Amino acid sequence: MGWGDLGAFGEPSKETPNLDQMASEGMLFLDFYTANPLCSPSRAALLTGRLPVRNGFYTTNAHARNAYTPQDIVGGIPDSELLLPELLKKAGYINKIIGKWHLGHRPQFHPLKHGFDEWFGSPNCHFGPFDNRALPNIPVYRDWEMIGRYYEDFKIDLKTGEANLTQIYLQEALDFISKQQASQQPFFLYWAIDATHAPVYASKQFLGTSQRGLYGDAVREIDDSIGKILKHLQKLGISENTFVFFTSDNGAALISAPKQGGSNGRFLCGKQTTFEGGMREPAIAWWPGHIPAGGVSHQLGNVMDLFTTSLSLAGLEPPSDRQIDGIDLLPAILQGKLIDRPIFYYRGNEMMAVRVGLYKAHYWTWSNSWEEYSKGIDFCPGQNVSGVTTHTQEEHTTLPLLFHLGRDPGEKYPLSFASDEYQRAMERISVTVQQHKATMVPGQPQLNVCDKAVMNWSPPGCEKLGKCLKPPKSDPKKCFWPH
């Protein structure tokens, strides 16, 4: 979902009344980022409070490559990483994930082995349908075992876009909240729905209701569901004890637009890129009785901050034996303070850019390769900016491209290298980058090795359903990441 997809962020069709009301009752973050322009690494960053290059969700197979966790990936979230739900357990929290996990699908990476008490959802995205011979359909889990597969037991109609998954995920959320409220149990709910990821889907009552086509239908259903979750918290009388945060894992996938992708507003490019459209996200904090209504914050925020902020809310300290990149946002949310901090834009193993204040310096630029672009794969459709949206990896480490995001949020006009403004801004940014690189200890890369034998052939529980498939012989290879 993109920065420009919500009415509160200026989307003109105004089809997100519940999220817009959430913003009017809480706080809108206009400068909130993900830690990576792709799904798996950004989710790993959210749950660990650490950049993907530290927690292992990157590849070293080629320079500056985006990588994620498809079915044939061998790696996943390492045991050495401490996830938010593992730490919240220390304060007595019950933790549930609903929806897409995407941090590894092999048994050792199962979310219930990493702090979650309950899971309803899938280990990978709902790509497919596959044929269960060359590629198995993706399993859907309840806790430790699969209960079916996408396109078989959980239907997604690729012709009409109809699927009931968001409604199922909504009911799971409402039931979990009711159960915890009844037992007076503190809880953490990670509601990771994926209806706006291509192939986009919505349930029957939302199909054809949006001015924005099928993608808009999916957004409307998500919006409606979030409204029902917030109303449920209020009805149960626990809204003033519950901190809710809405954001996205990366910018809208413009490669899927216009029918299957959203809007990144005025920002450049989209998912897969380290331009603003790929990494700046819609973000709303809601906590009645604590967060002043109608607040708008220009605090530079990141999904990794949700790790540190959640620990702070639970009265816990972040781990002291590792570098934590997330900051506690509570002073910004509750007191309106602005905390000075940089935003680092990584693509695989390379720091592509950094933002300090209103200035963003690009040390490398690359949208995608000429080879992919010539096949019609375009992450920046209609947005060619000469010397900026490059189709070869361009290094600018000697003279970074510098933009003032206040005056030029679309990253169209680099500042002159000879200007006093450039010199002053780069003096400050260079110190920040030097300090960052001096403390950078990359984790063991998890996204280097692929093997078709580790795909979702025979997940736990497949025997009971008669849905076990025979895996091919193990043949590990280096994963190929073209983007």
Side-chain angles (χ1 to χ4, degrees), residues 279-300:
M279 292 185 62
R280 201 188 295 206
E281 308 304 330
I284 304 168
W286 184 86
W287 189 12
H290 301 270
I291 297 175
V296 176
S297 177
H298 286 281
Q299 171 65 47
L300 295 191

Side-chain angles (χ1 to χ4, degrees), residues 36-273:
N36 189 273
L38 212 60
C39 37
S40 305
S42 64
R43 289 157 195 267
L46 185 156
L47 290 174
T48 63
R50 286 153 56 80
L51 285 163
V53 72
R54 296 194 209 273
N55 63 39
F57 264 71
Y58 71 105
T59 183
T60 54
N61 286 357
H63 177 251
R65 302 291 168 144
N66 283 324
Y68 65 107
T69 54
Q71 284 201 65
D72 57 349
I73 204 81
V74 169
I77 196 71
D79 282 340
S80 57
E81 290 298 318
L82 288 171
L83 274 61
L84 177 58
E86 292 179 74
L87 298 167
L88 289 175
K89 272 183 178 293
K90 296 177 180 177
Y93 278 72
I94 299 294
N95 309 300
K96 179 161 186 165
I97 170 174
I98 298 173
K100 187 165 90 170
W101 167 239
H102 227 200
L103 300 188
H105 59 275
R106 299 171 71 201
Q108 63 266 43
F109 306 126
H110 193 291
L112 270 60
K113 287 196 173 179
H114 293 273
F116 285 101
D117 301 289
E118 298 180 23
W119 180 27
F120 183 89
S122 62
N124 308 85
C125 207
H126 58 280
F127 293 150
F130 302 120
D131 60 12
N132 280 342
R133 291 186 294 276
L135 299 171
N137 282 336
I138 304 297
V140 175
Y141 279 77
R142 179 171 297 285
D143 299 333
W144 288 108
E145 297 184 340
M146 72 174 279
I147 56 172
R149 292 185 189 269
Y150 283 144
Y151 299 98
E152 299 168 30
D153 314 279
F154 295 87
K155 307 289 186 188
I156 303 172
D157 189 320
L158 291 178
K159 289 183 180 177
T160 65
E162 183 179 347
N164 206 35
L165 287 166
T166 302
Q167 292 303 308
I168 295 171
Y169 292 151
L170 169 61
Q171 196 57 52
E172 285 286 323
L174 299 178
D175 291 348
F176 175 74
I177 292 167
S178 293
K179 183 178 163 189
Q180 305 319 313
Q181 187 271 342
S183 61
Q184 298 292 294
Q185 190 77 40
F187 65 89
F188 166 52
L189 172 60
Y190 177 37
W191 199 63
I193 71 299
D194 62 358
T196 46
H197 189 298
V200 171
Y201 61 80
S203 58
K204 192 168 187 177
Q205 67 262 42
F206 288 93
L207 287 178
T209 64
S210 170
Q211 299 175 60
R212 304 178 65 203
L214 180 57
Y215 181 86
D217 296 342
V219 171
R220 288 200 67 233
E221 184 168 17
I222 290 171
D223 174 78
D224 182 77
S225 299
I226 290 166
K228 284 173 177 162
I229 290 171
L230 298 184
K231 287 183 180 72
H232 194 59
L233 293 169
Q234 290 170 321
K235 179 183 164 190
L236 294 176
I238 56 172
S239 59
E240 294 195 2
N241 294 335
T242 309
F243 178 80
V244 184
F245 202 95
F246 171 85
T247 190
S248 175
D249 58 348
N250 45 247
L254 299 185
I255 188 174
S256 307
K259 292 184 178 178
Q260 301 262 321
S263 166
N264 296 313
R266 61 178 62 186
F267 300 120
L268 184 62
C269 299
K271 178 179 177 176
Q272 300 267 15
T273 77

